[in-house]
Amino acid sequence: MAASSNSSLSGSSVSSDAEEYQPPIWKSYLYQLQQEAPRPKRIICPREVENRPKYYGREFHGIISREQADELLGGAEGAYILRESQRQPGCYTLALRFGNQTLNYRLFYDGKHFVGEKRFESIHDLVTDGLITLYIETKASEYISKMTTNPIYEHIGYATLLREKVSRRLSRSKHESRKTSVTSEEHPAVEKISSLVRRAALTQNDNHCNYEKTHNFKVHTFRGPHWCEYCANFMWGLIAQGVRCSDCGLNVHKQCSKHVPNDCQPDLKRIKKVYCCDLTTLVKAHNTQRPMVVDMCIREIEGRGLKSEGLYRVSGFTEHIEDVKMAFDRDGEKADISAHIYPDINIITGALKLYFRDLPIPVITYDTYAKFIDAAKISNPDERLEAVHEVLMLLPPAHYETLRYLMIHLKKVTMNEKENFMNAENLGIVFGPTLMRPPEESTLATLNDMRYQKLIVQILIENEDVLF
């Protein structure tokens, strides 16, 4: 991204040709301030200091007072030294001149240098970043406080020119590989569209499963100048300038991330595997109602295994189940789980159960776990059923749909009880701990809850036509 004049986004001059795509106009005020920030000036100690920590350089002046440090700095903006505390030997301080005063910071080292949350490879980088932050927050505190009041994120008109083209590509790719690619060999400008544009295009795609999903923001260090895709302002600093969504790639300020809607559209190239991936993230990335593992395994089981004795109770070979897992992680919906490759249906049931166990958030989420357990403890059957239904409504849409589809399938399993010897109670024993886990791992709590876990699944199977 390159800096432009300090102006807000305008969605009025939108062309109909993707070749004429122009990125939003990024606001340059904070970028200019960063360029103006004082540069670090290391004040070197003229003598060799005994017992100098090996991770400090000649900017370390040993045990000196604040007054001595102030005198050494000489009033030069950006000048800095390191000193050992007179009052607390073994504790180190960064003394830094900024705003015509000397600022003192307690300095720490754990393999990297830090005075706050950010960790730096060198003292020079720490001071550089600190001076940038101090300068910008001093000069533009009011501006920063108002950055989120008129975000470009809410004005996505500039992406209109891409919507039709990208939507057609998304729709076409659904039949080819379901990969939501938004690149184009014919129009290289389109290859560089931001996650913000991609979100706008996907929002307009009628085929896209409209499940709400929060962004998975993580602190990120951007190489080179970057601008926030929420407020269009520069992301200042040397490291950890903002956060990036690891699922869709959206880059925003940390403070802006609190205002971004729950509209993450995961990008397939960022989803590294199928197992152990968040359920909602997976279905949105693949543009499906349910995880492909669930659909494919159930289709295979219903096609050739409903009458298999001990279905879901009998375990398949662990090595073969791991093979199926690796096949899904590697090949996605192209994974071959047919009878030709895996003749034992118990391998497929084992792979399905493993998928549910590996979910970072269970199908029956941590947030609803206690409410389901409380519902199971109600003695009156009608009141219990009503309570279960109320809690079901609290599940995230992708979790609800997956659970609904699984219960319809398990109901079919019970309809073949004469051959497979699996009724709703037996399946409850198998799937109770698979579909729901307590938020805090406690062996005692898990043991106490097992009968209620079993009962919940049993109720869901027996009443799937009423509850869903």
Side-chain angles (χ1 to χ4, degrees), residues 90-109:
C91 294
Y92 304 99
T93 299
L94 165 67
L96 172 66
R97 284 296 292 185
F98 178 80
N100 298 318
Q101 60 180 320
T102 300
L103 306 175
N104 291 278
Y105 297 95
R106 179 80 176 272
L107 190 60
F108 301 92
Y109 181 80

Side-chain angles (χ1 to χ4, degrees), residues 9-205:
L9 176 70
S10 172
S12 58
S13 57
V14 178
S15 168
S16 59
D17 297 319
E19 294 90 335
E20 297 178 27
Y21 162 72
Q22 294 294 325
I25 297 175
W26 305 107
K27 301 172 186 178
S28 63
Y29 176 52
L30 297 180
Y31 176 77
Q32 291 165 359
L33 287 182
Q34 175 160 312
Q35 299 303 102
E36 296 169 7
R39 298 293 184 262
K41 299 178 182 69
R42 184 172 73 143
I43 306 300
I44 295 173
C45 184
R47 58 186 173 80
E48 190 63 36
V49 180
E50 290 185 11
N51 301 319
R52 182 181 71 191
K54 61 182 180 180
Y55 40 83
Y56 294 145
R58 294 186 61 191
E59 69 276 5
F60 182 74
H61 288 249
I63 299 178
I64 59 173
S65 67
R66 287 192 174 204
E67 292 73 24
Q68 289 173 300
D70 197 38
E71 187 177 335
L72 285 168
L73 293 172
E77 282 288 281
Y80 72 94
I81 64 167
L82 306 185
R83 65 182 179 86
E84 187 172 358
S85 172
Q86 284 184 322
R87 297 175 183 175
Q88 295 177 287
C91 294
Y92 304 99
T93 299
L94 165 67
L96 172 66
R97 284 296 292 185
F98 178 80
N100 298 318
Q101 60 180 320
T102 300
L103 306 175
N104 291 278
Y105 297 95
R106 179 80 176 272
L107 190 60
F108 301 92
Y109 181 80
D110 63 354
K112 290 189 177 181
H113 304 279
F114 62 101
V115 297
E117 291 182 359
K118 293 185 179 183
R119 283 165 163 72
F120 299 84
E121 296 290 346
S122 69
I123 292 293
H124 183 271
D125 286 351
L126 184 153
V127 175
T128 302
D129 186 85
L131 287 169
I132 290 169
T133 302
L134 286 167
Y135 188 77
I136 288 179
E137 291 182 353
T138 300
K139 293 282 187 179
S141 59
E142 186 176 354
Y143 182 88
I144 291 170
S145 69
K146 295 178 179 178
M147 283 194 313
T148 60
T149 56
N150 187 29
I152 63 165
Y153 201 81
E154 302 301 328
H155 305 288
I156 55 176
Y158 72 88
T160 303
L161 60 95
L162 288 175
R163 287 177 183 161
E164 186 177 350
K165 180 168 291 223
V166 176
S167 293
R168 282 203 304 270
R169 190 177 299 122
L170 288 170
S171 181
R172 183 170 65 251
S173 66
K174 183 179 178 184
H175 300 291
E176 294 169 356
S177 66
R178 290 192 185 272
K179 291 186 178 180
T180 53
S181 170
V182 288
T183 62
S184 168
E185 293 180 4
E186 297 176 297
H187 308 299
V190 181
E191 293 180 12
K192 299 179 181 179
I193 65 177
S194 69
S195 58
L196 184 59
V197 176
R198 183 175 166 277
R199 176 184 69 87
L202 284 168
T203 301
Q204 297 300 313
N205 180 21

Side-chain angles (χ1 to χ4, degrees), residues 10 49 52 64 73 87-88 94 126 133 176 181 200 233 235 239 264 272 287 297 361-362 365 371 373 378 391 425:
S10 172
V49 180
R52 182 181 71 191
I64 59 173
L73 293 172
R87 297 175 183 175
Q88 295 177 287
L94 165 67
L126 184 153
T133 302
E176 294 169 356
S181 170
N233 282 289
M235 299 166 79
I239 68 166
C264 177
K272 305 300 183 186
N287 193 27
C297 287
I361 300 174
T365 61
K371 294 182 177 67
I373 295 298
I378 297 173
V391 185
E425 184 178 1

Side-chain angles (χ1 to χ4, degrees), residues 348-366:
I348 309 304
T349 60
L352 181 59
K353 289 187 292 182
L354 179 62
Y355 171 75
F356 289 130
R357 285 198 302 273
D358 279 356
L359 285 173
I361 300 174
V363 177
I364 292 176
T365 61
Y366 294 126

